[in-house]
Amino acid sequence: LERITSVKSPMSRSMDERERYLSSRQQEALALARKRGYYEWPRKVTAGELADELGVAKTTFLEHLRRAESKLLDPD
């Protein structure tokens, strides 16, 4: 053993730093979901309503949101 060093984990980055890795559509979907109460319990808005606001299909909206969540929660 020559040396012990620490490696900065991607999860140690702030949320703002991790959000930079999202596409513009992922950022837009996530921001709208937060703003309109999608993550509150009970939800204040449905995925379909959010999709309509963005002018995309519900499945497209959910895919943007799922990918954004995946990048934020597991950035590796």
Side-chain angles (χ1 to χ4, degrees), residues 1-6:
L1 181 68
E2 292 181 18
R3 178 178 16 164
I4 297 176
T5 62
S6 65

Side-chain angles (χ1 to χ4, degrees), residues 7 12 22 28 31 36 44 56 58-59 67-68 74 76:
V7 176
S12 67
L22 304 180
E28 187 178 16
R36 300 271 280 113
K44 294 187 176 189
V56 298
K58 178 182 170 183
T59 54
R67 287 179 186 244
D74 188 18
D76 287 338

